[in-house]
Amino acid sequence: MKTRYLSSLFMLAALPLAVATAWAADAKGHKEGPGAGYEAGAGGPSGLAGVEMYQSTDPKAPPMSKAEFDQARQIYFDRCAGCHGVLRKGATGKALLPDLMQKLGSDSLKVFMTYGTAGGMPGFGTSNEMSEKEIDLMARYIQHPAPTPPEWGMKEMKASWKLLVPVDKRPTKKMNKLNLDNIFSVTLRDSGELALVDGDSKKIVTILKTGFAVHISRLSKSGRYLYTTGRDGLINLIDLWMETPQTVATIRTGSDARSIDTSKYKGFEDKIAIAGSYWPPAYVLMDGFTLEPKKIMSTRGYTYDEQEFHPEPRVASIVSSHIKPEFVVNVKETGKVLLVDYSDLKNLKTTEIEAERFLHDGGWDSSKRYFLVAANMRNTVSVVDTKEGKLAANVKVGSKPHPGRGANWNDGKYGPVWATGHLGDDSIAVIGTDPAKHKQNAWKVVRSLKNHGNGSLFIKTHPKSANLWVDAALSPDAGQRQSISVFDLKNLDKPAQVINVAKLAGISEGRVTHPEYNKAGDEVWLSVWGPKNGESALVVMDDKTRKVKAVIKDKRLVTPTGKFNVYNTVNDVY
Amino acid sequence: MKTRYLSSLFMLAALPLAVATAWAADAKGHKEGPGAGYEAGAGGPSGLAGVEMYQSTDPKAPPMSKAEFDQARQIYFDRCAGCHGVLRKGATGKALLPDLMQKLGSDSLKVFMTYGTAGGMPGFGTSNEMSEKEIDLMARYIQHPAPTPPEWGMKEMKASWKLLVPVDKRPTKKMNKLNLDNIFSVTLRDSGELALVDGDSKKIVTILKTGFAVHISRLSKSGRYLYTTGRDGLINLIDLWMETPQTVATIRTGSDARSIDTSKYKGFEDKIAIAGSYWPPAYVLMDGFTLEPKKIMSTRGYTYDEQEFHPEPRVASIVSSHIKPEFVVNVKETGKVLLVDYSDLKNLKTTEIEAERFLHDGGWDSSKRYFLVAANMRNTVSVVDTKEGKLAANVKVGSKPHPGRGANWNDGKYGPVWATGHLGDDSIAVIGTDPAKHKQNAWKVVRSLKNHGNGSLFIKTHPKSANLWVDAALSPDAGQRQSISVFDLKNLDKPAQVINVAKLAGISEGRVTHPEYNKAGDEVWLSVWGPKNGESALVVMDDKTRKVKAVIKDKRLVTPTGKFNVYNTVNDVY
C-alpha cells in the first residue's frame, strides 16, 4: 500500500467511490442481520447523493457536463470537503475559491492533485487514489462555483427519524448476561457498521448496521444507551439492555457529521442527546430515549478573530459536562466553544467563548472542570473553564495537535497534567492542568515527549495504569504507523518502548491506532486497521507486561478503528 | 396626497428614488452646518448603492439589462424590502420567490403593484408612487432570483468607523446651559437629519446630519450621549455636553438597520452600545463612548416554530435592561428574543427565547422586569420575563399590534397594565402585567379600548398623567390620521376625546403621530408629519387641558416623526 495521507482517521474519508456505492447498495440490501428493519437513510454514504443540489456553472471555467459535475461533486464530498469545506472556504486545507482556481488553471491544479504538496495536500495521483481522468475532472470542477448543499431543517429531520422500538416496547431490565461496563463499541469504518465486543470474553456480541464510517460512539450516563454518528449524518441509538443489543431509533441530522453526546448532569441522565453537523452547520438537541429532534441551532456566524461572516462553521467535537447541565460544542471555522445549557430548550442559554480557529477534538482534564480542545491549524490547545464559563488559556503546542480526548495523569514533578500528540510532528505536549495547587505549571507545556513518529491520532492512559500509549497512525513510515509508543509515567525521562503491534498480530499492512483501556485499566485495546479487502484485527495488550494478551480476528471486523469502552466513555476516564 | 400605505412609519420607506438621490447628494454637499466633518457613509441612503452586488439572472424570467436590474434593485430596497425581506423570503409581506413570481407572470404582478391588495399590499400605481415604467421594471425584476447583498463584517465596519472627537478631546463637564433632561431628539425623516429641540423654550437647539430616516434615538444612562440609527445602517453618537451638541463618532454597522441601545446596568453605565441590523442579519456590540465595534453576532438561524433555516432573520427592536447587564434583542423572522449579557464580550452569554414570529417593537412593563413585544403578523404580544430569562406568555391581541414602546398605567380595576394600538384595526389592547399581585389579570387582555381609526403606530402615557394618547397615523381616512385619541385613564368607559391636531396646527395635509411626554409629564408633544416639500410642525399639547400650548414650525423641521425626550428615554418612562 502506498503512502496515503489522511488529515485524521475519522475526519477525511479518502474513500473510493466504488466502495461508497457498494456500501450504499449493501446498506439497502442488509435486511437479515442485526440492525435490520431500517434503511440507511437517504441515499448512501454521503447523505447527499440522490438529493437535488443547487449548482451554477461559470462560463470562465472549463466546461463540464451535468453528469461530470455530479460525479465531481460526489468525489469532492468524499475526498476534499473534510479539509477544504463543502463551500471551499478552507479549514485544514486551503480555500479553493473559483477565481484563484481559474488563475492557477487546470494544468497546475492537476499537478497539485497528482503529486500533493509539502503542506500536507495528499498526492491523489501518486497514491493511485484518483485516476488521471478523475484528476482532470476535479481540476475543472473546482474552477466552478461550489454548489451549496441543501438545507436540512426540522421537516427533513422528522421525515428521516425512525423510532424502531418505542420506549414502552423496550425491556424494563437488562435481558442479557453481558458485563455492559466492559463492552467495547468498535467502528467498522469501511463497512458502515459497528461491532460490539465483549471485553471479558473478547468475543463479538453483535454487528450493527450504522451510518457510514462511524466517527464516535457515546454512552448515556446510565450506560444503557449507545449513540453513534456516521460521517453521513446518520445517528443510531442502540439499547444495550436487549437480549442482543440492537438499534431502537435512527435519524439523519445532516448530510455530513462528526459528533454526538448525551446529557450526564444529575437529574438529566440519559434524557437529552445532541448531534453536531458539518452540513448544515448546526447542532440539534434530541430526546435521548427516542432521538426525536427537539431544537436545531445554527452555528453560522462570524470568525472569532477577524469577525468575518463564515457560511460553514462546522461542529467538530461535542462533550457532555458532569458538573453542569451543559454540552460543550466546538465550532471549527469560527473558533468558538459553545456551552449549551440543556435544562430549558425553549429558553436556551448558551455561552459563546472565543477560543481559537479550527477547533477539532479534545477532552476533559482529570477534575472534569476544564475542557482542552485542539485548534489544529493554529498549533494551539484551547482550555475552557466550564465552571466559570470562559476561556482559561490558549496553549501553544506542536504542529497540528490531535489528542482524541487526550490523556490525564498525575505527574510526579508537575502535578495533574493532560497530554496530546501531534499530526505534524513527533512531539507529545504535556500540559499542567491544576491552577489551584500547581499554579506555576497550569496551562503551560511542562514536558515534551518524543513519539516514535509523527502523524499521531490518539494517546491514552488510565488512572490505574502507569503507562501512556501513543500511536503514529498517519506516519508516512510503514513501520512507525504499525507501531505504538509506550511511556512509563513514573520515569518519563526514559524513551518509550516502541512495539510493532501489526507485526505481533501477523498483519503486514495496516495502521495501529486508538489505544483504549478496558474498565479495569489493566488491558489496552488497539486497532490494527488493515485495507478494506485485507485483514484487520483488534489486539489486546496486557498493560503491565506490554505483551499481547489476545488477537481478535474475524472476517466481520472490517477496518476497525475507534473503540469505545462503555464504562470509560460514560465516565470520561482517560 | 393620495392614500398611502405604510406598514410602519419607521419601517417602510416608500421613498421616491429622486428623493433618495437628492438626499445622497445633499449629505455629501452638507459641510457647513452642525455635524459637518464626516461623510454620510458609503453611497447614499440605502447603504447599498455603489457596492458591488452579487446577482444572477434566470433565463426563464423576462430579460433585463444590467442598468434596469440595478435600478430595480434600488427601488426594491427602498420600497419592498422592509416588508418582503431583502432575500424575498417574506415577513410582513408575502414571500416573493422567483418560481411563483414566474408562474404569476408580469401582467398579474403589474396588477398587484398598481392596485395593491386587500391584505395590505399598497397600490403603488394608484398612489402615483411608481410610474407605469417602474412597475413594469419591478414586475420583471422579482421574477429573477434575489441578489444577495454583500456581507458587512468587522473589516467593513472598522473602515466605516469615524471617531470625529476622541474622548480626551471632549468636555469634562457640560458646556451649555441646556436642561438636557428635557431635550427632545426629533427625527427629520426625509432629510436624513435630527433636530434637538429644547423642551423648556421650545426652540431648536441644533440640526444634525444623521443616517437616513433615523429610526430611533436612544440615550446613554448618564443622559450625556445620544445614539441614532438611520435606516441605512449609519449610527451617530452625539455628545450633549458640548456647547452645541454635535456628532462625535459615526459608524455603519450594516446596509439596513432599525435598532440601537446602550448599557444601563449599574457599573456599565454608558459603556456599551448595541446596534441591530436588517442586513446583514446581525447585531454588533460597540464601545459606548466611541462606537468602536467590538463583537458581531449573527442572527441567521432556524425559525422557532417550524425550525426551518432562515437566511435573513432581521433584528427588529432592542431594549436595554435596568435589572441585569443585558440587552433584549428581538429577531423578527425566527421569532426569537435574545437576552445578550454584555458583562463579558469574549465569553458571551445569551438566552435565546422562543417567542413568536415577526417580532417588531415593544417596551417594558412598569416594573421593568417584563418586556412586551409585538409579533405583528401573528397578532400576538410576546411577554419575556427578563429576570427568569424565559417567555412568560404569548398574548393574543388585535390585528397587527404596533405599540412603539407601549403605555403603562395602574388601572383602577385591573392593577398595573400595558397597552398597544394596532395597525390592522381600531382596537387598543390593555394587558395586565402584575402576576405577583394581580395574578388573574396577568398576561390577559383585560380591556379593549376603541381608537378613532386603525393604522395606529404609537400610544403613550406618563406616570404623572391621567391621560392616554393614541394616534392613527396610517389610517386611510385623512381626518383620522390627522387626529389623536385622548382617553381618561380614570374613566376608561368614557369614549376618547378625538382631537384633530393637524387642523389646530394649521396644516391641511399630514399625519399626526408619536405622542411623547416632556420630563415633567404635563405636556404631550406630537408630530404633524407633512409632505416632504410641504409644511410640518411639532405641536405641544397641555396634558391636563388637552389644549394647544405651542406650535413649533420651522423650515428646517422637514418631516418630523419620532421624538425622544432625554429623561423619559434614559429611564424608559412610558
Side-chain angles (χ1 to χ4, degrees):
Chain A
M1 185 184 179
K2 288 211 182 184
T3 300
R4 202 171 145 191
Y5 170 97
L6 294 175
S7 83
S8 155
L9 172 58
F10 298 110
M11 295 294 300
L12 226 200
L15 173 79
L17 194 65
V19 174
T21 312
W23 177 86
D26 187 46
K28 281 174 182 156
H30 188 99
K31 293 286 185 202
E32 302 301 322
Y38 66 96
E39 294 197 345
S46 75
L48 289 175
V51 180
E52 189 59 36
M53 305 281 291
Y54 310 113
Q55 56 175 274
S56 58
T57 53
D58 183 339
K60 284 176 288 177
M64 300 186 80
S65 72
K66 172 96 166 59
E68 284 180 324
F69 194 90
D70 288 345
Q71 189 195 346
R73 198 182 65 204
Q74 184 66 44
I75 295 175
Y76 183 87
F77 184 84
D78 288 337
R79 294 175 188 269
C80 318
C83 285
H84 297 285
V86 183
L87 302 180
R88 306 190 205 145
K89 300 272 288 181
T92 313
K94 288 196 191 302
L96 306 176
L97 300 175
D99 278 2
L100 180 62
M101 296 302 104
Q102 288 170 19
K103 232 175 256 172
L104 288 170
S106 298
D107 287 345
S108 300
L109 293 172
K110 282 195 246 180
V111 171
F112 284 124
M113 291 183 197
T114 304
Y115 298 98
T117 71
M121 166 80 183
F124 287 104
T126 51
S127 68
N128 292 325
E129 288 180 281
M130 277 164 68
S131 68
E132 264 182 61
K133 208 175 147 183
E134 284 172 326
I135 286 173
D136 174 71
L137 185 76
M138 296 313 290
R140 285 180 287 144
Y141 176 73
I142 60 172
Q143 295 177 65
H144 289 267
T148 300
E151 295 296 336
W152 194 262
M154 187 53 79
K155 196 174 115 191
E156 292 78 14
M157 282 191 204
K158 280 256 169 95
S160 79
W161 175 46
K162 295 190 176 71
L163 183 55
L164 305 168
V165 184
V167 174
D168 62 2
K169 299 275 192 270
R170 296 179 199 164
T172 53
K173 59 184 172 72
K174 186 161 79 94
M175 303 299 284
N176 56 54
K177 290 180 179 159
L178 297 165
N179 173 16
L180 293 186
D181 270 359
N182 204 30
I183 293 287
F184 286 77
S185 174
V186 182
T187 295
L188 305 178
R189 196 178 179 291
D190 290 357
S191 68
E193 291 173 321
L194 190 80
L196 297 180
V197 181
D198 181 350
D200 297 348
S201 70
K202 276 76 176 170
K203 291 218 159 72
I204 294 172
V205 176
T206 187
I207 306 274
L208 294 161
K209 204 74 204 162
T210 58
F212 180 71
V214 159
H215 192 241
I216 50 167
S217 291
R218 286 283 185 266
L219 272 300
S220 72
K221 178 70 180 170
S222 71
R224 172 177 178 173
Y225 288 110
L226 173 68
Y227 303 81
T228 65
T229 178
R231 186 176 175 277
D232 53 358
L234 184 67
I235 310 290
N236 278 45
L237 169 60
I238 295 157
D239 184 357
L240 298 180
W241 276 15
M242 290 184 159
E243 197 173 340
T244 300
Q246 73 177 71
T247 296
V248 292
T250 64
I251 189 170
R252 191 179 288 280
T253 54
S255 51
D256 191 2
R258 294 297 182 278
S259 50
I260 187 150
D261 216 322
T262 156
S263 54
K264 291 182 175 174
Y265 188 65
K266 209 180 158 190
F268 293 92
E269 295 91 341
D270 298 23
K271 284 188 179 166
I272 295 165
I274 181 173
S277 292
Y278 268 25
W279 189 267
Y283 58 92
V284 55
L285 297 151
M286 299 170 282
D287 183 291
F289 301 105
T290 65
L291 298 182
E292 183 183 0
K294 294 292 188 185
K295 179 143 188 157
I296 313 173
M297 293 289 289
S298 173
T299 53
R300 278 178 251 219
Y302 293 81
T303 57
Y304 94 92
D305 47 1
E306 293 170 357
Q307 301 206 45
E308 183 188 17
F309 180 74
H310 199 294
E312 189 189 356
R314 302 179 287 181
V315 176
S317 49
I318 298 178
V319 296
S320 182
S321 172
H322 297 260
I323 64 167
K324 284 190 175 182
E326 284 183 350
F327 294 121
V328 182
V329 175
N330 299 283
V331 186
K332 184 185 286 290
E333 279 76 6
T334 49
K336 293 175 176 177
V337 177
L338 313 180
L339 306 180
V340 178
D341 180 336
Y342 51 71
S343 64
D344 183 353
L345 300 189
K346 298 265 174 210
N347 305 286
L348 196 77
K349 287 184 174 56
T350 60
T351 305
E352 184 175 305
I353 296 168
E354 297 182 4
E356 185 49 282
R357 292 186 69 183
F358 311 112
L359 297 173
H360 192 85
D361 50 346
W364 296 102
D365 82 307
S366 57
S367 76
K368 312 234 192 314
R369 167 177 175 169
Y370 299 99
F371 174 68
L372 297 99
V373 54
N376 55 21
M377 297 310 287
R378 293 276 168 100
N379 304 331
T380 294
V381 167
S382 290
V383 185
V384 171
D385 178 350
T386 63
K387 190 177 168 196
E388 297 290 328
K390 63 182 189 186
L391 187 74
N394 274 334
V395 185
K396 278 280 167 198
V397 293
S399 172
K400 299 182 194 163
H402 192 288
R405 287 165 290 171
N408 286 291
W409 68 89
N410 199 336
D411 190 279
K413 197 165 167 189
Y414 300 104
V417 296
W418 176 95
T420 179
H422 296 86
L423 286 166
D425 64 37
D426 64 358
S427 74
I428 296 160
V430 181
I431 297 170
T433 61
D434 182 16
K437 292 185 187 159
H438 298 81
K439 200 179 169 186
Q440 72 283 12
N441 303 327
W443 320 135
K444 288 177 191 143
V445 176
V446 293
R447 289 183 187 276
S448 179
L449 307 177
K450 193 172 158 36
N451 197 14
H452 62 286
N454 66 11
S456 177
L457 285 172
F458 298 106
I459 184 168
K460 197 66 58 84
T461 184
H462 187 280
K464 290 190 183 145
S465 166
N467 287 328
L468 176 71
W469 299 69
V470 191
D471 71 15
L474 298 187
S475 167
D477 180 89
Q480 288 177 354
R481 62 180 183 259
Q482 291 171 6
S483 301
I484 194 125
S485 278
V486 192
F487 292 87
D488 179 356
L489 292 175
K490 304 288 179 206
N491 187 1
L492 282 169
D493 297 330
K494 200 175 75 179
Q497 180 185 0
V498 180
I499 305 172
N500 188 318
V501 177
K503 201 170 279 178
L504 292 175
I507 291 176
S508 56
E509 270 191 84
R511 297 164 191 278
V512 170
T513 191
H514 204 256
E516 176 85 352
Y517 277 83
N518 63 344
K519 182 189 174 190
D522 58 10
E523 289 174 3
V524 176
W525 289 48
L526 292 157
S527 300
V528 184
W529 173 25
K532 182 178 186 210
N533 299 316
E535 199 176 34
S536 289
L538 297 176
V539 176
V540 182
M541 307 286 288
D542 185 289
D543 183 59
K544 272 229 171 67
T545 64
R546 305 177 178 182
K547 303 290 183 203
V548 173
K549 203 165 162 181
V551 175
I552 307 171
K553 286 188 183 177
D554 191 299
K555 67 176 180 350
R556 294 173 293 170
L557 288 180
V558 180
T559 58
T561 50
K563 302 162 301 302
F564 298 85
N565 173 272
V566 167
Y567 181 87
N568 294 340
T569 305
V570 167
N571 298 289
D572 286 291
V573 176
Y574 40 79
Chain B
M1 185 183 180
K2 288 211 179 182
T3 300
R4 201 170 147 192
Y5 170 96
L6 295 175
S7 84
S8 155
L9 172 57
F10 299 109
M11 295 296 300
L12 225 199
L15 172 80
L17 195 63
V19 174
T21 312
W23 177 86
D26 188 44
K28 279 172 186 159
H30 187 98
K31 294 288 182 200
E32 302 303 320
Y38 68 95
E39 296 195 347
S46 73
L48 288 174
V51 180
E52 189 57 36
M53 303 282 291
Y54 310 113
Q55 55 175 276
S56 58
T57 51
D58 184 338
K60 284 177 287 176
M64 299 186 80
S65 71
K66 172 95 167 56
E68 284 180 323
F69 193 90
D70 288 345
Q71 189 196 347
R73 197 183 66 204
Q74 185 64 45
I75 295 175
Y76 183 87
F77 184 83
D78 288 336
R79 295 175 186 271
C80 318
C83 285
H84 297 285
V86 183
L87 302 180
R88 305 190 204 144
K89 300 275 285 183
T92 312
K94 287 196 192 303
L96 305 176
L97 300 175
D99 278 3
L100 180 61
M101 295 302 102
Q102 289 171 18
K103 233 176 255 172
L104 287 169
S106 299
D107 288 345
S108 300
L109 292 172
K110 283 195 247 181
V111 170
F112 284 123
M113 291 184 199
T114 304
Y115 298 99
T117 71
M121 167 79 182
F124 286 104
T126 52
S127 68
N128 291 325
E129 288 181 283
M130 277 164 68
S131 67
E132 263 184 62
K133 209 177 147 184
E134 284 173 326
I135 286 173
D136 173 72
L137 184 75
M138 297 313 291
R140 285 181 289 144
Y141 176 73
I142 60 172
Q143 296 177 65
H144 289 268
T148 300
E151 295 296 336
W152 193 262
M154 187 53 77
K155 195 174 115 191
E156 292 79 14
M157 281 192 204
K158 281 254 168 98
S160 79
W161 176 46
K162 293 189 178 72
L163 184 56
L164 305 168
V165 184
V167 174
D168 61 3
K169 300 274 192 270
R170 295 180 200 163
T172 52
K173 59 186 173 67
K174 187 161 80 92
M175 302 300 285
N176 56 55
K177 289 179 180 159
L178 298 166
N179 173 16
L180 293 186
D181 271 0
N182 204 30
I183 294 287
F184 286 77
S185 174
V186 182
T187 295
L188 304 179
R189 197 178 179 290
D190 289 358
S191 68
E193 292 173 319
L194 190 81
L196 297 181
V197 181
D198 180 350
D200 297 349
S201 69
K202 276 73 175 173
K203 291 217 158 70
I204 295 173
V205 175
T206 188
I207 307 275
L208 293 162
K209 205 72 205 163
T210 59
F212 180 72
V214 158
H215 192 241
I216 50 166
S217 292
R218 287 283 186 265
L219 272 300
S220 72
K221 178 70 181 172
S222 71
R224 171 176 180 173
Y225 289 110
L226 173 68
Y227 302 80
T228 65
T229 180
R231 186 176 176 275
D232 54 358
L234 183 67
I235 310 291
N236 278 45
L237 169 60
I238 295 157
D239 183 357
L240 299 180
W241 276 15
M242 290 183 162
E243 199 173 337
T244 300
Q246 73 177 71
T247 297
V248 292
T250 64
I251 190 170
R252 190 179 289 282
T253 54
S255 51
D256 190 3
R258 293 297 182 279
S259 50
I260 186 148
D261 217 322
T262 156
S263 54
K264 293 182 173 172
Y265 187 64
K266 212 182 157 189
F268 293 91
E269 294 91 342
D270 297 23
K271 285 188 179 166
I272 295 164
I274 181 172
S277 293
Y278 268 25
W279 188 269
Y283 58 92
V284 55
L285 297 152
M286 298 169 283
D287 182 291
F289 302 104
T290 64
L291 298 182
E292 183 182 0
K294 295 292 189 185
K295 180 145 188 157
I296 313 173
M297 293 288 291
S298 173
T299 53
R300 278 177 251 219
Y302 292 81
T303 56
Y304 94 92
D305 47 1
E306 292 170 356
Q307 301 206 44
E308 182 187 18
F309 180 74
H310 199 293
E312 190 188 356
R314 302 180 286 182
V315 176
S317 49
I318 298 179
V319 294
S320 182
S321 172
H322 298 260
I323 64 167
K324 283 190 174 183
E326 283 184 349
F327 294 120
V328 182
V329 176
N330 298 283
V331 187
K332 185 185 285 288
E333 278 76 5
T334 49
K336 293 175 176 178
V337 177
L338 313 181
L339 306 180
V340 179
D341 180 335
Y342 52 70
S343 65
D344 183 354
L345 301 189
K346 298 264 171 209
N347 305 286
L348 196 78
K349 289 184 171 55
T350 60
T351 305
E352 183 175 306
I353 297 168
E354 297 182 5
E356 185 51 282
R357 290 187 71 183
F358 310 112
L359 297 174
H360 192 85
D361 50 347
W364 296 101
D365 81 306
S366 56
S367 76
K368 311 235 191 317
R369 168 176 174 169
Y370 299 99
F371 174 69
L372 296 100
V373 55
N376 55 19
M377 298 309 289
R378 294 279 167 97
N379 304 333
T380 294
V381 167
S382 290
V383 185
V384 171
D385 178 350
T386 64
K387 190 177 168 196
E388 297 290 329
K390 63 182 190 186
L391 188 75
N394 274 334
V395 185
K396 278 281 169 199
V397 292
S399 172
K400 301 182 196 164
H402 191 289
R405 287 164 290 170
N408 287 289
W409 69 89
N410 198 335
D411 191 278
K413 197 164 167 190
Y414 300 104
V417 295
W418 177 94
T420 180
H422 296 86
L423 287 166
D425 64 39
D426 65 357
S427 74
I428 295 160
V430 181
I431 297 169
T433 62
D434 182 17
K437 292 187 186 157
H438 298 81
K439 199 178 170 185
Q440 74 283 11
N441 303 327
W443 321 135
K444 286 176 191 145
V445 175
V446 293
R447 290 183 187 274
S448 181
L449 307 177
K450 192 170 157 37
N451 197 14
H452 62 285
N454 65 11
S456 178
L457 285 173
F458 298 106
I459 183 168
K460 196 67 58 86
T461 185
H462 186 280
K464 291 191 182 142
S465 167
N467 287 329
L468 176 72
W469 299 69
V470 191
D471 71 16
L474 299 186
S475 167
D477 180 88
Q480 288 177 353
R481 61 181 183 258
Q482 293 170 5
S483 302
I484 193 125
S485 278
V486 191
F487 293 87
D488 178 357
L489 292 175
K490 304 287 179 207
N491 188 0
L492 282 169
D493 296 331
K494 199 174 75 179
Q497 179 186 359
V498 181
I499 305 173
N500 188 320
V501 177
K503 201 169 279 177
L504 292 175
I507 292 177
S508 56
E509 267 190 84
R511 298 165 191 277
V512 170
T513 190
H514 204 257
E516 175 83 352
Y517 276 83
N518 64 343
K519 181 188 174 190
D522 57 11
E523 289 174 3
V524 176
W525 289 48
L526 293 157
S527 300
V528 184
W529 173 26
K532 183 180 184 209
N533 300 316
E535 198 176 35
S536 288
L538 297 177
V539 176
V540 182
M541 306 285 289
D542 185 287
D543 184 59
K544 273 229 169 66
T545 64
R546 304 177 180 182
K547 303 291 182 204
V548 173
K549 203 166 161 181
V551 176
I552 307 171
K553 287 189 183 176
D554 190 301
K555 67 176 183 344
R556 293 173 294 171
L557 288 180
V558 179
T559 56
T561 50
K563 299 162 303 303
F564 298 85
N565 173 272
V566 167
Y567 181 87
N568 294 340
T569 306
V570 168
N571 297 291
D572 286 291
V573 177
Y574 40 79

